[in-house]
């Protein structure tokens, strides 16, 4: 399993020199870094261990103004290499970096007490003692980048620490946190970063989150060497020829499609160095991203982070909360929680009882970052997971609406939800068009029977106004009237009588005028017009000027 080691420590304490002494690579490559003699950005170098293992080394800046950059470097590491100047001892950023390392959940590493060549034995002894007190869990080694003293011992100590570490970034879909983006002539956009999980190979179709930009990987390198496939924990560079350099930046995550939610909220367990107020505005450091956020406290130990830009997080990820100083750390419990956080829910999620938090349908594929496999005790339809209680509630809700549906057409609209296609079939209802019915349900007049009888008694050839359009439709569907014009109707018998007259007149290519039709039926002009228009609408006749002719196909076609 490839591992990444990150330096930490106060400005000028000798981190970059030590990295150079260990790897032969000067990671201060920016002109400004050269000029000022300090590190500004992250540096990367491969480190060979005596046993042949290869670690990735990340060198971070120590300046207090660059703590943010230090965190971006430290979030992807498995081991720390805390560097303390033997003459100066622990200073403010020694302590802040150490605190950040602990908030990030890093438990394994080594302390290098450096510049050993520049102090006397007694001072060195005291510095080693102080280092041991400060980080009791780690081995402290005296080294000099200048003379090479202690470097072998340091490599051996790193190898021992590497043996003890359980790599964090293994399981789960591919996720690469971008720390650098540049353009190479003939290759296009290249992004580098630590592969937190999964693997990446030439031809992979991934998505650059949080913007959801589809990308296709062209070639993959690990520490400047081409590889077929890079594995979790490795430091990789991928060519992404399809996109512009400006479309990607530090903090973005290149991930497997659907592997992670891009979420404006994170529910976390807090670890406070300083107390964090409800409503406090902070910067949330996650992966290589820095996200503005407001903290909503939940109970004693938890919070919901409301983010200004979305995070691409998974359960178990560590975040650091800062203002001008480091305030707290957080372990992500739910990377895409509902807005209304409750302590009860968050405690359940924390205990791993994810199933208990699911009520309404959620996609199983969207839960891959908080679950292994399928949770127990839930209902499943296609990709949807939901609780039996929710399904009962839905059934109850639809039942209530079916009970009060219009008896003429006792259906209700099919719910227009993303889960409709998979879940509605479970309800045992009949779907006709856009409506749901109880099995075998047919329309009935119900308490409109009297109104129907009253209406029918008035119907004849002269159109009658019908006030209840649903009733008119129902009666027409049952062959008891024919609707003409807007909100009017004639009796079904009268309409058939009119059809008889019409067909007789139009037999053998004949034509009929409105006046002739009116006279043959002995009705008013308006009534004749409405009835003819209905024949037109039904496709029986076609109007040509003042006359009507039979449509070609309609002689054999019933209405
Ligand atoms: N005598 C002696 N001097 C050293 C040694 N290592 C570093 N230095 C001196 O310390 C200075 C700073 O070292 P860097 O390695 O750049 O310090 P750094 O911790 O990377 O500093 P930032 O990245 O800015 O935080 C160097 O310019 C050297 O002059 C060492 O082993 N012995
Ligand atoms: Mg440096």
């Amino acid at each position: 399993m490839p591992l990444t080691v990150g330096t930490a420590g106060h400005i000028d304490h000798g981190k970059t020199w030590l990295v150079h002494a260990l790897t032969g690579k000067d990671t201060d490559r920016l002109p400004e870094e050269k000029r000022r003699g300090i590190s500004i950005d992250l540096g990367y170098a491969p480190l060979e261990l005596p046993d042949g293992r290869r670690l990735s080394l990340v060198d971070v800046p120590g300046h207090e103004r660059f703590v943010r950059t230090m965190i971006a470097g430290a979030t992807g590491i498995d081991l720390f290499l805390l560097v303390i100047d033997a003459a100066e001892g622990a200073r403010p950023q020694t302590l802040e970096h150490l605190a950040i390392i602990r908030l990030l959940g890093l438990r394994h590493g080594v302390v290098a007490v450096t510049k050993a060549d520049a102090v006397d034995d007694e001072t060195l002894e005291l510095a080693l003692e102080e280092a041991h007190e400060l980080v009791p869990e780690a081995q402290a080694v005296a080294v000099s980048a200048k003379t090479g003293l202690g470097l072998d011992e340091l490599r051996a100590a790193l190898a021992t620490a590497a043996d003890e570490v359980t790599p964090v970034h293994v399981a789960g879909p591919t996720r690469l946190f971008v720390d650098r983006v540049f353009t190479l002539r003939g290759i296009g956009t290249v992004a580098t970063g630590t592969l937190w999980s999964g693997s990446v190979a030439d031809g992979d179709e991934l998505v650059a989150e949080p913007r959801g930009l589809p990308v296709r990987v062209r070639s993959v390198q690990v520490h400047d060497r081409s590889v077929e496939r890079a594995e979790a924990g490795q430091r990789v560079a991928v060519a992404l020829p399809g996109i512009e350099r400006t479309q990607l930046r530090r903090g973005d995550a290149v991930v497997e499609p659907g592997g992670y939610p891009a979420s404006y909220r994170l529910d976390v367990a807090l670890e406070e160095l300083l107390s964090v107020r409800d409503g406090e505005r902070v910067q949330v450091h996650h992966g290589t991203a820095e996200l503005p956020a407001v903290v909503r406290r939940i109970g004693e130990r938890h919070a919901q982070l409301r983010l200004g830009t979305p995070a691409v997080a998974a359960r178990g990820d560590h975040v650091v909360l800062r203002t001008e100083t480091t305030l707290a750390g957080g372990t992500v419990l739910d990377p895409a929680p509902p807005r209304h956080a409750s302590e009860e829910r968050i405690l359940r999620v924390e205990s791993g009882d994810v199933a208990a938090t699911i009520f309404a349908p959620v996609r199983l594929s969207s839960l891959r970052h908080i679950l292994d496999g399928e949770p127990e005790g839930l209902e499943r339809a296609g990709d949807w997971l939901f609780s039996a209680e929710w399904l009962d509630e839905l059934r109850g809700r639809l039942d209530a609406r079916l009970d009060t549906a219009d008896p003429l057409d006792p259906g209700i609209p099919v719910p227009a939800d993303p889960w409709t296609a998979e879940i509605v079939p479970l309800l045992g209802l009949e779907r006709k068009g856009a409506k749901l019915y109880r099995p075998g349900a047919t329309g009935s007049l119900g308490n409109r029977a009297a109104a129907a009888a009253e209406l029918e008694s008035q119907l004849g050839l002269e159109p009658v106004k019908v006030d209840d359009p649903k009733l008119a439709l129902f009666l027409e569907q049952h062959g008891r009237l024919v609707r003409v014009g807007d909100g009017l109707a004639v009796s079904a018998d009268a309409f058939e009588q009119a059809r008889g007259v019409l067909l007789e007149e139009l037999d053998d290519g004949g034509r009929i005028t409105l006046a002739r039709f009116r006279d043959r039926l002995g009705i008013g002009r308006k009534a004749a017009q409405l009835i003819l228009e209905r024949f037109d609408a039904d496709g029986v006749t076609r109007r040509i000027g003042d006359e009507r002719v039979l449509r070609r196909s309609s002689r054999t076609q019933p209405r």
Side-chain angles (χ1 to χ4, degrees):
M1 180 68 214
L3 296 173
T4 302
V5 187
T7 61
H10 198 73
I11 185 165
D12 261 352
H13 275 201
K15 297 178 290 297
T16 304
W17 273 43
L18 185 57
V19 168
H20 192 181
L22 286 169
T23 68
K25 187 168 169 183
D26 182 7
T27 53
D28 278 353
R29 62 211 151 80
L30 301 175
E32 195 187 348
E33 288 178 322
K34 292 264 180 269
R35 189 166 47 77
R36 292 170 66 184
I38 62 167
S39 301
I40 293 171
D41 205 354
L42 301 172
Y44 300 94
L47 169 66
E48 298 268 352
L49 291 182
D51 56 16
R53 260 184 299 176
R54 210 149 177 259
L55 306 182
S56 295
L57 198 47
V58 183
D59 184 37
V60 307
H63 195 294
E64 65 174 321
R65 295 221 352 253
F66 305 140
V67 174
R68 310 151 57 203
T69 309
M70 178 271 171
I71 301 175
T75 51
I77 66 176
D78 303 284
L79 291 167
F80 61 84
L81 174 58
L82 182 66
V83 174
I84 304 176
D85 184 320
E88 290 210 347
R91 298 290 311 278
Q93 269 64 53
T94 316
L95 303 177
E96 186 170 13
H97 285 193
L98 184 60
I100 288 164
I101 280 166
R102 290 188 167 144
L103 292 177
L104 290 173
L106 294 160
R107 296 286 171 264
H108 299 281
V110 177
V111 185
V113 175
T114 192
K115 308 193 194 180
D117 60 278
V119 294
D120 58 39
D121 288 354
E122 199 182 329
T123 312
L124 187 60
E125 213 39 61
L126 284 172
L128 283 167
E129 251 169 57
E130 188 198 30
H132 183 68
E133 268 168 36
L134 200 60
V135 200
E137 71 270 27
Q139 210 177 317
V141 183
V143 298
S144 165
K146 203 167 185 176
T147 66
L149 172 97
L151 291 182
D152 287 341
E153 200 189 332
L154 180 61
R155 284 199 188 87
L158 282 169
T160 309
D163 288 337
E164 287 164 7
V165 100
T166 355
V168 263
H169 311 299
V170 199
T174 296
R175 185 166 49 149
L176 171 75
F177 268 106
V178 174
D179 48 47
R180 242 189 241 165
V181 187
F182 49 91
T183 316
L184 283 185
R185 194 186 300 223
I187 291 179
T189 303
V190 175
T192 66
T194 302
L195 193 54
W196 280 35
S197 56
S199 66
V200 56
D202 198 343
D204 282 359
E205 311 258 357
L206 302 173
V207 182
E209 298 283 14
R211 265 155 293 163
L213 209 67
V215 295
R216 194 187 170 87
V217 176
R218 178 107 111 233
S219 62
V220 184
Q221 292 196 335
V222 174
H223 283 301
D224 304 330
R225 278 189 220 163
S226 289
V227 295
E228 208 156 287
R229 182 171 283 282
E231 304 293 338
Q234 283 181 320
R235 161 109 209 123
V236 303
V238 288
L240 305 170
I243 61 166
E244 297 295 321
R245 189 173 79 118
T246 50
Q247 290 179 294
L248 209 59
R249 61 187 75 126
R250 176 175 289 178
D252 289 352
V254 177
V255 301
E256 204 173 302
Y260 299 89
S263 158
Y264 282 96
R265 294 185 287 277
L266 298 176
D267 279 359
V268 300
L270 280 180
E271 193 179 334
E272 289 170 84
L273 301 179
L274 301 168
S275 67
V276 182
R277 279 180 297 106
D278 181 49
E280 187 150 3
R281 292 181 180 280
V282 299
Q283 292 293 318
V284 171
H285 296 260
H286 170 247
T288 50
E290 209 182 314
L291 314 158
V294 173
V295 180
R296 282 287 157 228
R297 305 243 8 172
I298 308 165
E300 286 286 295
R301 292 186 299 113
H302 299 97
Q304 180 164 93
L305 307 176
R306 304 263 172 88
L307 308 168
T309 40
V312 186
R315 181 179 167 86
D317 282 359
H318 290 278
V319 297
V320 174
L321 275 51
R322 291 190 93 239
T323 48
E324 297 88 61
T325 54
T326 302
L327 297 181
T331 305
V332 175
L333 301 176
D334 189 339
R339 174 169 273 274
H340 296 291
S342 77
E343 189 170 21
E344 191 209 341
R345 180 180 186 281
I346 213 166
L347 290 171
R348 278 186 166 165
V349 175
E350 187 168 40
S351 72
D353 189 3
V354 174
T357 66
I358 294 173
F359 179 62
V362 289
R363 286 189 185 278
L364 178 57
S365 54
S366 76
L367 294 174
R368 283 166 65 195
H369 50 279
I370 40 174
L371 284 178
D372 297 326
E374 198 171 319
E376 308 226 328
L378 288 175
E379 305 291 316
R380 165 115 189 242
D383 190 35
W384 296 102
L385 286 175
F386 45 92
S387 66
E389 294 78 37
W390 175 84
L391 190 64
D392 283 347
E393 259 187 34
L394 175 69
R395 199 175 265 127
R397 233 175 21 242
L398 296 184
D399 261 338
R401 287 168 54 201
L402 283 165
D403 285 344
T404 57
D406 191 333
L408 293 177
D409 178 20
I412 55 170
V414 177
D417 290 283
W419 41 257
T420 297
E422 288 88 355
I423 295 180
V424 165
L426 304 182
L427 298 168
L429 297 172
E430 259 172 36
R431 185 172 178 161
K432 291 181 211 152
K435 284 190 155 185
L436 290 175
Y437 297 84
R438 292 210 167 97
T442 51
S444 67
L445 284 169
N447 59 11
R448 282 181 175 96
E454 165 71 18
L455 174 62
E456 278 181 293
S457 73
Q458 297 168 19
L459 293 174
L461 265 172
E462 283 294 338
V464 171
K465 182 106 187 109
V466 187
D467 296 325
D468 184 345
K470 282 189 180 164
L471 179 62
L473 178 64
F474 178 84
L475 291 174
E476 184 176 272
Q477 282 166 346
H478 288 75
R480 289 163 68 171
L481 58 72
V482 175
R483 292 173 304 162
V484 295
D486 195 13
L488 301 166
V490 295
S491 77
D493 287 347
F495 192 70
E496 284 315 306
Q497 186 193 338
R499 182 199 301 277
V501 166
L502 186 73
L503 292 179
E504 211 178 288
E505 288 285 327
L506 298 183
D507 208 13
D508 288 331
R511 292 167 174 247
I512 190 168
T513 60
L514 177 62
R516 170 81 183 150
F517 184 64
R518 177 197 62 194
D519 293 346
R520 286 261 347 236
L521 285 173
I523 53 176
R525 182 185 164 79
K526 182 73 186 162
Q529 187 183 338
L530 288 171
I531 293 171
L532 279 176
E533 280 169 0
R534 173 71 198 240
F535 284 121
D536 292 342
D538 287 351
V540 177
T541 48
R542 190 153 54 86
R543 189 176 161 180
I544 303 173
D546 281 348
E547 295 177 320
R548 276 172 170 89
V549 296
L550 214 51
R551 277 187 191 266
R552 207 179 290 159
S553 58
S554 55
R555 206 164 308 184
T556 51
Q557 204 177 63
R559 183 180 68 82

